[in-house]
Amino acid sequence: MKKWLITVILFLVIIAGVVYYFHKRMATPPALTVAVTKGAITEKAEAIGYIKPRHSITIKSQVGGTVANIYHYEGEPIKKGEELIRITPAPDPSDYAAAYEALKEAQSNESHYDENLDRYHVALQQKLITKNYTDYLTAQQNKDVSILKRILAEQKLALLDEGKTQVAGKAIANVVASPIDGYILSRNVDIGDSVISLSSAQSATSLFTIANMNDLTFEGSVDEIDAAKIHTQMPATIIVGATPDKQITGTVERIALQSEQQAGTSTSDTPFNVSFQLQISNLKFPDNLNLRAGYSATADINLKTIDDALLLPARVVHFENNNPYVLLPADAGTEPKKKFITTGISDGINIEITKGLSLNQKVLDSSEKSDSDNS
């Protein structure tokens, strides 16, 4: 009986020991560590913006009136000289009356000076005057001026009446043609809309916007912290929001010297979010990528690349009074030891270690523990 009792007690002690061991092991899991590695790291600056043509033009009319016909629409390719729109003149009645009266007056003056010159021709034939006679020369000059005024009056009336004429060999017509090869980005009028001409005192009506879609650029803004590190010819990688699986490469062409806040173009209400305009050109596109003007995009600009750098995940680096440090593994039951280090560039995932650690040295990865503590 006594032996049986001792056996039972020993059996319970063993079970209790096993339970305690596994309970402690589950309660205090082994510390996770990360080793220092060597590799390449690139520091990048991010710019947010959009894709746009380098050059686009706004088409306006030399003739005022109403839209009669539209020959091309948004998205269509267009060749230089192709007709875009025809405008029916709608002159102001007072302007038309004034032009008609000016033409009649010019015709009357021309007829008067013509009759006067004829009299001098007769006198010249009868040798009553010479070719150098002052009044004769004045009569010739008056006749020439009257012809020019009559032609000008005819052109003004024709422009108001028919919507087309020719001035100094240059055609002015109510049919507006494209001045360049490109694509129609936008059409701002419809049939029946009123059109204000370029010659009006008011702002002329914008009819179309046309651009060369074979010369695209990225335009965006970059934070002031990164702006100081950026210079021209830096390589960049662009991701378009509509095609995130394809990358576009290019180089920085220019960066503004004045912030958007100072230039008065910023949409931010706070003075602390300062950004600078940036343009990336020489874009190289992957095959079968069709872009549209105005696509939103982000650009990663390569500021600096180090090939053989000592690296750690950025999550394992902590800061104390802006001084970076890591936690070194310690023996069971003791607190981890702080190790202050010197860091270099970071790509947001990894960070360069320039001083304080060696290759393959292990540090604590307490990110998962911190996450569980916060939750």
Side-chain angles (χ1 to χ4, degrees):
M1 188 69 174
K2 186 176 180 179
K3 291 182 179 180
W4 180 82
L5 183 60
I6 293 173
T7 302
V8 172
I9 292 173
L10 288 174
F11 180 73
L12 292 176
V13 170
I14 292 172
I15 293 177
V18 172
V19 171
Y20 175 77
Y21 171 77
F22 281 103
H23 176 74
K24 185 175 181 181
R25 187 172 181 178
M26 294 178 63
T28 57
L32 298 177
T33 59
V34 175
V36 177
T37 60
K38 179 178 284 191
I41 185 171
T42 300
E43 183 182 16
K44 299 179 180 180
E46 185 180 68
I48 300 174
Y50 55 94
I51 300 295
K52 69 179 290 292
R54 180 184 295 275
H55 301 294
S56 61
I57 61 172
T58 300
I59 307 298
K60 298 181 180 180
S61 174
Q62 297 174 310
V63 178
T66 57
V67 178
N69 296 96
I70 297 175
Y71 304 117
H72 292 279
Y73 292 82
E74 302 91 324
E76 294 183 11
I78 193 76
K79 294 291 185 181
K80 182 179 180 179
E82 279 192 72
E83 296 180 350
L84 293 167
I85 193 171
R86 184 173 67 84
I87 297 170
T88 299
D92 185 270
S94 60
D95 292 339
Y96 188 85
Y100 184 79
E101 183 180 350
L103 176 59
K104 291 300 181 182
E105 182 180 353
Q107 290 172 338
S108 177
N109 289 337
E110 182 183 2
S111 178
H112 169 72
Y113 289 124
D114 190 42
E115 292 175 359
N116 189 37
L117 185 60
D118 286 343
R119 288 196 294 271
Y120 283 108
H121 283 155
V122 172
L124 184 63
Q125 290 174 357
Q126 295 177 354
K127 297 183 179 181
L128 298 176
I129 60 173
T130 64
K131 290 184 178 180
N132 296 327
Y133 185 58
T134 303
D135 290 346
Y136 174 62
L137 296 176
T138 302
Q140 283 184 319
Q141 184 179 7
N142 289 338
K143 174 61 186 301
D144 293 339
V145 171
S146 68
I147 292 175
L148 293 176
K149 288 185 177 180
R150 188 257 304 164
I151 293 174
L152 180 60
E154 288 175 345
Q155 291 171 343
K156 287 184 176 180
L157 185 60
L159 191 60
L160 293 174
D161 192 19
E162 303 174 11
K164 57 184 178 179
T165 187
Q166 194 162 357
V167 178
K170 181 180 180 181
I172 299 177
N174 60 333
V175 176
V176 181
S178 174
I180 63 169
D181 294 341
Y183 283 82
I184 299 176
L185 299 186
S186 65
R187 174 179 57 90
N188 305 316
V189 292
D190 211 334
I191 293 177
D193 288 349
S194 297
V195 174
I196 299 174
S197 68
L198 287 167
S199 60
S200 173
Q202 305 178 57
S203 178
T205 303
S206 173
L207 305 176
F208 292 89
T209 301
I210 298 177
N212 178 9
M213 294 297 289
N214 294 323
D215 188 9
L216 298 177
T217 64
F218 168 89
E219 284 198 5
S221 57
V222 64
D223 189 85
E224 62 178 333
I225 297 175
D226 296 323
K229 306 175 186 177
I230 298 174
H231 57 76
T232 57
Q233 300 306 313
M234 277 186 167
T237 302
I238 300 169
I239 300 294
V240 177
T243 57
D245 58 327
K246 297 184 178 181
Q247 291 187 347
I248 303 169
T249 60
T251 55
V252 176
E253 180 175 327
R254 62 175 177 84
I255 182 168
L257 296 176
Q258 180 173 258
S259 70
E260 293 181 278
Q261 277 77 359
Q262 291 295 318
T265 59
S266 174
T267 57
S268 174
D269 294 331
T270 171
F272 303 106
N273 184 20
V274 180
S275 56
F276 290 79
Q277 281 286 86
L278 178 86
Q279 184 177 42
I280 299 173
S281 59
N282 300 321
L283 303 186
K284 302 293 188 299
F285 304 98
D287 295 335
N288 302 321
L289 178 61
N290 295 318
L291 295 180
R292 300 176 184 271
Y295 267 164
S296 62
T298 57
D300 287 331
I301 303 154
N302 296 343
L303 302 177
K304 184 179 181 181
T305 298
I306 299 177
D307 293 326
D308 294 321
L310 295 180
L311 305 177
L312 272 178
R315 68 176 185 272
V316 304
V317 178
H318 311 278
F319 291 88
E320 183 178 286
N321 297 325
N322 293 326
N323 297 317
Y325 70 90
V326 294
L327 297 176
L328 299 180
D331 296 333
T334 60
E335 292 292 327
K337 182 182 178 181
K338 288 183 180 180
K339 176 69 172 179
F340 285 93
I341 59 175
T342 304
T343 60
I345 65 175
S346 173
D347 61 4
I349 299 175
N350 295 317
I351 190 168
E352 179 194 10
I353 309 300
T354 60
K355 187 176 180 182
L357 295 174
S358 58
L359 182 63
N360 297 324
Q361 187 173 356
K362 293 183 178 182
V363 301
L364 287 180
D365 183 0
S366 57
S367 58
E368 292 187 3
K369 181 179 179 182
S370 299
D371 293 339
S372 62
D373 294 340
N374 293 334
S375 61

